[in-house]
Amino acid sequence: MSATTTTHMRIVRARAAGGPEVLAVERAAAPVCGPQDVLVAVRLAGVNFADVNTRRGTYGGAPGPRGLGRDVLGEVVEVGECVRRLRPGQRVAGFSTGPAYAELAVAHETLVWAVPGGVADEQAAAFPTVGQAAYHLLVTASRIREGESVLVTAAAGGVGSLVVPLARLLGAGRVVAAAGTTERAGLAGADEALSYDDLGSWDDRGRAAAVDVALDGVGGDARRAALGAIAPGGRLVHFGNSSGDPEELPAPRAQRERGLGVVGFHLEFLRRHGRAALATSADLLLGWLGTGDLTIPVHDVLPLERAGDAHRLLESRTVRGKLLLSVGPVPEVHRGA
Ligand SMILES: NC(=O)c1ccc[n+]([C@@H]2O[C@H](COP(=O)([O-])OP(=O)(O)OC[C@H]3O[C@@H](n4cnc5c(N)ncnc54)[C@H](OP(=O)(O)O)[C@@H]3O)[C@@H](O)[C@H]2O)c1
């Protein structure tokens, strides 16, 4: 199909690396839809901690203005000439290639999935990063077995709040939620809720209840506490560093003595090398969201213009579940002859 000749669109950009105040709505040309891409009129964009890191410049990259966001929910308005799976008019959710905090976003056809009719917009918009990460943390990285116990840090956050119900759907045993405060840990609905302080000072009874698998995307004190809660022969999966503290892992000798498995996880690896696995899990996750077996807590939906406030909230450690940006009406897309 021919190229889009739409005028301009609204997009949120970070004018430079910095705090939430660097985010501003600008006007930009619509992105170009390549042969294997779809162009999506974005209805909702997900806000993830990775976006905060992009805004801060933690992920490196060229200095200067940059777009943000990877999670999109919207309608396909154009498909590239080689696209076979999707067609204009379909409601899709998934990962965009370019910025998702925008009225129009380009995505490779293998990284967005048609959303079944029974799934609400907000649930579909919330699922790409946190749903896929939580699922593959448990299945691909941890290789969780029936009945094994799991601990997750930042349990009230985006990824954490999905690990708890998914662990149950996948047949795990006891699920332990850890968070900055006991109250936040309690929001996750796990079998046990502990602050990092409580977890770090587990007594003998606590240690006897050590877990098979700990999942940590926080680092710092949270990771140290999680490590202390892993049973001999257990596994640690590390997938992020939202605390901003220097990243630490047990020394090789300590790993050997404890029989500890240490696994790193990054969705980007699956986006590059595991697209079939992501498609399978997208089917499962969207299916569970449709039947109501899985529900993603949505903390709030803010308008695109308030992306800076969304980042402030995410950095305040008060969000429960997922934050979304509502993009609103999009400019008409005029296709060339
Ligand atoms: N590797 C991957 O593929 C992948 C995919 C998705 C997410 N992630 C990572 O997983 C982590 C969670 O991502 P998310 O989007 O779901 O975010 P989130 O968990 O909703 O928010 C981050 C959480 O980190 C905790 N935290 C601890 N110290 C913090 C600090 N100084 N500032 C801000 N937060 C702090 C907070 O929970 P408490 O107050 O309870 O500690 C907060 O709720 C992030 O590190 C993210 O980069 C990695």
Side-chain angles (χ1 to χ4, degrees), residues 1 4 39-41 75-79 87-89 104 330 333 335:
M1 196 159 287
T4 298
L39 186 65
V40 179
E75 191 182 306
V76 175
V77 289
E78 186 177 338
V79 298
R87 58 184 186 281
L104 293 162
V330 295
V333 176
R335 296 194 183 84

Side-chain angles (χ1 to χ4, degrees), residues 174-246:
R174 199 170 110 258
V175 184
V176 182
T181 63
T182 315
E183 191 192 354
R184 271 176 70 65
L187 295 172
D191 300 308
E192 284 165 63
L194 295 161
S195 69
Y196 306 136
D197 284 349
D198 291 343
L199 189 62
S201 57
W202 252 5
D203 57 14
D204 290 344
R205 190 198 60 79
R207 277 182 226 297
V211 295
D212 298 305
V213 171
L215 309 175
D216 176 57
V218 176
D221 291 344
R223 182 164 308 162
R224 276 188 288 278
L227 267 164
I230 301 174
R235 287 98 79 200
L236 168 76
V237 181
H238 57 97
F239 60 99
N241 190 38
S242 58
S243 66
D245 292 335

Side-chain angles (χ1 to χ4, degrees), residues 98-154:
Y101 294 9
E103 287 178 312
L104 293 162
V106 157
H108 193 275
E109 68 158 329
T110 55
L111 288 175
V112 287
W113 304 283
V115 179
V119 183
D121 272 4
E122 289 185 6
Q123 292 293 302
F127 111 94
T129 290
V130 299
Q132 294 281 22
Y135 180 91
H136 286 284
L137 280 165
L138 290 161
V139 173
T140 307
S142 307
R143 304 191 182 203
I144 192 92
R145 291 184 290 263
E146 180 104 21
E148 281 192 317
S149 50
V150 186
L151 176 145
V152 63
T153 55

